[in-house]
Amino acid sequence: MADTELPAPFTTLAGPHRFDAVIENSEFLTFADRADTPGDALAQLAVLRARYPDATHHCWAYRIGGAYRFNDDGEPGGTAGAPILRAIEGQGVDRVLVVVVRFYGGVKLGTGGLARAYGGGAAECLRTAERLEVRPRRTVRVAVPFDAVSGLYHLLGTWDVTRGEETYTAGGVELDVHLYPEDAGAFAAALRDATRGAAVTDLD
């Protein structure tokens, strides 16, 4: 795979996070989590709907790359889902779902108050959540003869790579190495040195 075909790095959430607030007697429970596909996001939403079936509203938004959706779930149009989505975009995170569960407390907040409650809760939930920088790796196929395997293993222990499953052939070992694209050239050169030129990669 060429470097230009790799997904761009992005910032998402390291795990689920929650932020609660009470505004004019209404409870706003905000939940945020990573969602890599729209299906993931809707499945998480279904779980929260089932967990809080008596809530007045389950308002939500997600941003997954270029895809996004939001829903006011019965609140006045533009007062819930859109402010949640703006909070996601404002916090610079991707592949994220935010759901705000509201229990109505008897006091109407008005359109401005609702937008501040939903958008503000979403922004605070995301601001305080632990983040994760995701840098896609490139897969490089490596083949080495048996007498050079020790050099390969030593090299793998000194680089920031992850190893795929090994395959044994008649002449040696083949495996996939997952590394950051900017390291590919230097890794290939180091591999040649470590194996005295015996290693072969699909970078060659």
Side-chain angles (χ1 to χ4, degrees), residues 101-180:
V101 177
R102 183 189 183 190
F103 291 88
Y104 180 56
V107 179
K108 292 185 177 181
L109 300 181
T111 56
L114 287 171
R116 286 190 295 273
Y118 283 102
E124 185 64 15
C125 186
L126 293 170
R127 187 188 70 78
T128 54
E130 183 179 354
R131 300 190 180 197
L132 175 68
E133 300 294 330
V134 179
R135 297 171 59 203
R137 292 177 183 260
R138 177 177 181 176
T139 299
V140 176
R141 188 68 174 173
V142 175
V144 298
F146 287 116
D147 60 3
V149 166
S150 61
L152 169 65
Y153 289 164
H154 176 74
L155 182 67
L156 293 178
T158 62
W159 281 73
D160 184 3
V161 301
T162 57
R163 293 163 53 174
E165 185 174 352
E166 297 181 4
T167 301
Y168 291 91
T169 66
V173 174
E174 294 184 3
L175 77 157
D176 289 331
V177 177
H178 311 290
L179 72 167
Y180 296 122

Side-chain angles (χ1 to χ4, degrees), residues 46-86:
V47 169
L48 288 170
R49 286 187 184 279
R51 186 183 303 169
Y52 299 100
D54 298 329
T56 318
H57 305 281
H58 301 80
C59 303
W60 55 272
Y62 67 68
R63 163 71 73 178
I64 303 169
Y68 64 89
R69 279 184 65 189
F70 57 88
N71 191 288
D72 296 313
D73 194 31
E75 294 283 29
T79 63
I84 294 170
L85 178 62
R86 286 196 293 271

